[in-house]
Amino acid sequence: MTEERKYRKPSLMEAVIVLLFSAAFIGAGVLYWEVSVHIPIVVAATFASLMGRFVVGRPWRDIEEGMVNGIMVGMQAMLILYIIGMLVGTWIPGGVVPSMIYYGLSILNPSAFLLTALIMCSIVSFATGTSWGTSGTVGIALMGIGAGLGIPAPITAGFIISGAYVGDKMSPLSDTTNLAPAVAGTDLFQHIRAMMWTTLPTYAIVCVVAVFLGMKYAGGSLDAAKIRAIQAILGGEFNISVTGLIPPILVIAMCVLKIPAIPGLFAGVVAGGVLAILNGYGIGDVLNVTLDGYTAQLSAKLAEASDMAAVAKILQEAGISGVAPEMAKEVGTLLSDLLTRGGMSSMYSTIALITCALSFGGIMERCGFLEVILDHVLKVVRSVGGLVASVITASFISNLFLGDQYLSIAMPGRIFKNAFDWKGLHPRMLSRSLEDSGTLTSVLIPWNTCGAYNSGVLGVKTVEYAPYAILNWLNPIMAIIITYLGIGVAWRGKDGEPVIAKNRPAELMEG
């Protein structure tokens, strides 16, 4: 008998104690004490490791190995985070983000903006297979356009995320879209076809909401003076040109050509740096913004001006005319907050949070706390709807306690696979359910890798944008409802192909 087999699983009570303590302490830290979630997660991880060591009996080296393995799962994500920080750092002085905001304000209006943002992010994310890349590039520009159109930042962020994640979820280029069928035991295109049953009706509802919510902010007419002021101040600080659209087109093209994410995004960093140098920045300046990010210049001066006379003088020195000082100060504050960002250093806190969360997840997985609870849930599930609801709930709980969407697909997939096989369901039902929750709900949790990332790049707290990331929380609900209604239920046919029926056909009952 190997040493591994000597370790016992925790009891249900032990697992529940760990989960309840962790949820209570993390919740109290965020909601009651209003502290950063980093240390509450460390405390929860400490409690879980103590329970694993002294109650369950796992040796420390095993728990430590679980922590390290948990962190290793997120290493690629952390590298991408650093590169996204560098990319934003060069794209602002290179005129990329300012140009996208400038031209976007010229062609968009509030009534169509939310729907346009949703569809644009869906297309870009589907074409590239990355929600992170979409949020960190097109998403940042859309945040600026939304601010210029007077739409609250949490609403804009919510529809950006909805679009980015539906495109990622349905893209054959996406890593999660390939991971889910691999775990469940089906092929990629069966998986994508299965997701259409739950995703398309949800997407249609979100589009309708985007139209009606956009009408609320139309206000009958645009604030033309504010838009002119934004464009004038952007033009006074940056080189606004269609050449600024080259780096995002390059990144999208490389992703479509299936260039891996890290070199594809890094090419965008280089392209942004080249544009910054052509715009008059020195090589040393570009290297500095790659590390520390860009600090707004003209807009910051306007925001910090002591009175309107000082604002008027700054505008005159910048060669900007036709903008009222009061409007210039308001817009300067908006643009200063929006454009002072980027650089590797901007990602330090997010990466620290991801490290804490994945360490916690590694402990929870190695000591078996989540697995025990899910095993007990599986014993009482009888209906197909209950089985799908259990997978969706398990993936959400995994996102809460494991801190990463990949683990929230892989772990429930491993646990529920035999149950789907025994029930006679086609494995695409499992893969669909894993993505309906594991991929989509990850961005709704502040300490999950996806929630932390999107909050950081879009500059909006997770709890603020979550209500407006409608697709991400509505899709799991829709998946449960349509399964209980018997819509789109796929049984495994005798030839291995899916058979769509509300109940298992009689000819498939044998075996």
Side-chain angles (χ1 to χ4, degrees):
M1 180 179 291
T2 64
E3 185 180 7
E4 176 67 26
R5 292 175 184 168
K6 295 178 183 177
Y7 304 149
R8 72 172 180 86
K9 282 187 177 182
S11 67
L12 178 61
M13 180 60 69
E14 291 163 353
V16 168
I17 289 172
V18 172
L19 258 64
L20 289 180
F21 174 86
S22 301
F25 198 88
I26 293 171
V30 174
L31 301 175
Y32 181 72
W33 295 310
E34 297 183 351
V35 299
S36 174
V37 73
H38 297 64
I39 302 306
I41 289 179
V42 171
V43 173
T46 302
F47 181 77
S49 63
L50 290 173
M51 287 287 290
R53 175 66 187 92
F54 296 107
V55 177
V56 178
R58 285 271 180 174
W60 169 249
R61 67 178 180 277
D62 200 45
I63 296 172
E64 188 177 74
E65 185 179 281
M67 293 170 61
V68 173
N69 289 343
I71 294 171
M72 288 301 296
V73 170
M75 284 305 297
Q76 184 188 37
M78 294 181 201
L79 291 174
I80 290 174
L81 276 171
Y82 277 131
I83 294 172
I84 290 286
M86 296 165 68
L87 182 143
V88 174
T90 61
W91 278 21
I92 295 176
V96 179
V97 173
S99 293
M100 288 195 289
I101 295 173
Y102 186 98
Y103 293 125
L105 288 172
S106 299
I107 62 175
L108 295 177
N109 62 72
S111 62
F113 172 72
L114 293 177
L115 180 62
T116 303
L118 174 71
I119 294 173
M120 183 184 301
C121 289
S122 303
I123 293 171
V124 172
S125 189
F126 180 83
T128 61
T130 168
S131 58
W132 283 27
T134 302
S135 298
T137 53
V138 177
I140 292 175
L142 288 170
M143 290 298 295
I145 297 169
L149 297 175
I151 297 175
I155 296 178
T156 302
F159 281 91
I160 288 170
I161 288 167
S162 289
Y165 272 78
V166 74
D168 185 325
K169 178 176 184 276
M170 299 301 292
S171 174
L173 305 178
S174 168
D175 46 10
T176 57
T177 310
N178 283 274
L179 174 63
V183 170
T186 188
D187 68 77
L188 173 64
F189 292 103
Q190 283 287 0
H191 170 59
I192 292 174
R193 284 194 286 270
M195 289 195 294
M196 290 181 181
W197 288 95
T198 60
T199 306
L200 293 184
T202 308
Y203 191 69
I205 292 171
V206 177
C207 286
V208 172
V209 173
V211 171
F212 280 96
L213 201 55
M215 291 170 60
K216 175 182 177 182
Y217 290 97
S221 63
L222 295 173
D223 189 344
K226 185 175 184 180
I227 290 176
R228 282 197 302 271
I230 292 173
Q231 292 178 323
I233 293 169
L234 285 173
E237 184 166 351
F238 303 98
N239 179 31
I240 304 299
S241 168
V242 292
T243 58
L245 305 180
I246 293 175
I249 292 173
L250 173 65
V251 171
I252 291 172
M254 295 187 75
C255 290
V256 170
L257 293 172
K258 298 185 179 181
I259 304 297
I262 290 176
L265 289 171
F266 195 77
V269 176
V270 174
V274 170
L275 284 182
I277 292 171
L278 293 176
N279 290 342
Y281 290 87
I283 294 177
D285 296 328
V286 172
L287 295 177
N288 282 330
V289 297
T290 303
L291 175 64
D292 297 322
Y294 181 78
T295 301
Q297 303 297 318
L298 176 59
S299 54
K301 289 180 182 179
L302 292 170
E304 295 166 2
S306 57
D307 52 45
M308 293 304 106
V311 171
K313 183 178 179 181
I314 294 169
L315 291 173
Q316 184 180 15
E317 291 174 349
I320 297 173
S321 59
V323 178
E326 294 80 4
M327 179 63 73
K329 185 170 179 63
E330 177 187 344
V331 168
T333 301
L334 183 156
L335 290 178
S336 178
D337 292 340
L338 180 68
L339 298 174
T340 299
R341 63 176 60 218
M344 289 179 65
S345 60
S346 69
M347 295 297 176
Y348 290 164
S349 178
T350 300
I351 288 174
L353 174 54
I354 290 172
T355 303
C356 295
L358 292 180
S359 298
F360 177 42
I363 295 168
M364 295 291 287
E365 183 175 32
R366 181 56 61 95
C367 295
F369 294 122
L370 273 185
E371 186 176 354
V372 166
I373 290 178
L374 296 180
D375 281 343
H376 278 78
V377 169
L378 195 56
K379 292 177 182 177
V380 299
V381 173
R382 294 291 181 267
S383 67
V384 175
L387 195 57
V388 168
S390 298
V391 174
I392 287 172
T393 302
S395 293
F396 177 69
I397 292 173
S398 297
N399 269 322
L400 278 172
F401 290 98
L402 298 180
D404 183 81
Q405 64 178 347
Y406 302 109
L407 293 173
S408 300
I409 291 172
M411 184 174 178
R414 184 177 66 236
I415 292 171
F416 283 90
K417 187 177 186 303
N418 290 337
F420 276 72
D421 290 340
W422 174 80
K423 197 74 176 176
L425 290 163
H426 194 277
R428 79 181 207 174
M429 289 293 293
L430 173 58
S431 66
R432 181 184 84 183
S433 303
L434 292 171
E435 277 235 81
D436 283 341
S437 182
T439 297
L440 294 183
T441 64
S442 59
V443 74
L444 305 177
I445 299 164
W447 53 88
N448 190 282
T449 53
C450 297
Y453 168 77
N454 281 275
S455 177
V457 297
L458 299 178
V460 181
K461 291 182 180 178
T462 309
V463 293
E464 293 177 352
Y465 71 61
Y468 303 102
I470 300 171
L471 186 132
N472 297 73
W473 54 259
L474 181 59
N475 198 148
I477 297 172
M478 179 69 72
I480 294 172
I481 292 173
I482 73 162
T483 304
Y484 270 110
L485 292 175
I487 300 171
V489 176
W491 304 90
R492 186 194 291 273
K494 292 184 177 180
D495 58 356
E497 292 298 307
V499 176
I500 307 298
K502 181 175 182 179
N503 298 307
R504 191 177 184 185
E507 64 269 20
L508 302 181
M509 292 295 188
E510 296 179 7

